[in-house]
Amino acid sequence: MKKIITLAVLLFSFVSFAQIKVLETVPVEKLGKVNNNYIQKIGDEYTVYYTSIVSDDDDSSSLRKFSFKNVNNDYASLYSIIMNGFNATPLYDIKLELPNNYIWLHYTGNTLPEKSTVQFMVSSKDASSGSSNVSEPFVKDQINKLFQK
């Protein structure tokens, strides 16, 4: 009987302390893409990857990102905010606050909405890094393609 209990305890210890664990995977979905810029969805978190043309860092033309969770349909809200900015007269910057970043939507161009562009000006909330980046300019059609609208 002692041998059976010892064997059961030994077997149980091997099972409970295994090195390999099966983790739940969340599918990665790539949404719209414009040039090297794209939006990726993992679960309920959206990440916008953009090419930085101006940066505080030495590597100025690299791919940067900002992320947010889709709480209260924030993905559709961001799209609406960007698109409404194209129709504003005169064009003005819009400041957004995300969990880790501040984002300014910088609009430039003519008073005609089809000739206007928007750039993401992203600044980190973290005082130690304090980096800021500016994306390449997007026209209205590129924003539609990026957000798959």
Side-chain angles (χ1 to χ4, degrees), residues 55-61 64:
S55 176
D56 288 346
D57 300 336
D58 294 335
D59 188 18
S60 62
S61 63
R64 305 293 178 172

Side-chain angles (χ1 to χ4, degrees), residues 15-144:
V15 171
S16 63
F17 297 109
Q19 292 182 20
I20 299 173
K21 296 180 184 177
V22 177
L23 300 176
E24 181 182 343
T25 57
V26 179
V28 176
E29 184 179 349
K30 223 178 211 183
L31 303 177
K33 183 175 181 178
V34 174
N35 301 328
N36 290 331
N37 309 289
Y38 62 95
I39 298 177
Q40 178 176 291
K41 178 184 175 194
I42 301 175
D44 67 342
E45 183 172 83
Y46 289 86
T47 304
V48 178
Y49 291 89
Y50 62 94
T51 304
S52 176
I53 59 172
V54 177
S55 176
D56 288 346
D57 300 336
D58 294 335
D59 188 18
S60 62
S61 63
S62 62
L63 202 59
R64 305 293 178 172
K65 67 180 179 175
F66 60 88
S67 301
F68 59 93
K69 290 196 180 276
N70 194 27
V71 180
N72 298 325
N73 207 12
D74 288 338
Y75 178 73
S77 296
L78 177 61
Y79 172 75
S80 296
I81 291 168
I82 293 170
M83 295 310 285
N84 289 338
F86 280 113
N87 300 325
T89 307
L91 298 176
Y92 60 94
D93 289 356
I94 300 171
K95 184 177 181 181
L96 306 172
E97 181 179 5
L98 296 179
N100 298 320
N101 303 91
Y102 291 110
I103 298 174
W104 287 264
L105 302 174
H106 178 69
Y107 293 90
T108 58
N110 301 343
T111 55
L112 300 172
E114 55 275 352
K115 299 288 183 181
S116 302
T117 63
V118 65
Q119 290 178 285
F120 303 130
M121 301 171 76
V122 181
S123 176
S124 176
K125 279 186 175 180
D126 185 14
S128 64
S129 70
S131 65
S132 61
N133 305 294
V134 178
S135 74
E136 64 183 75
F138 298 101
V139 295
K140 196 174 190 178
D141 288 341
Q142 289 176 317
I143 293 294
N144 284 330

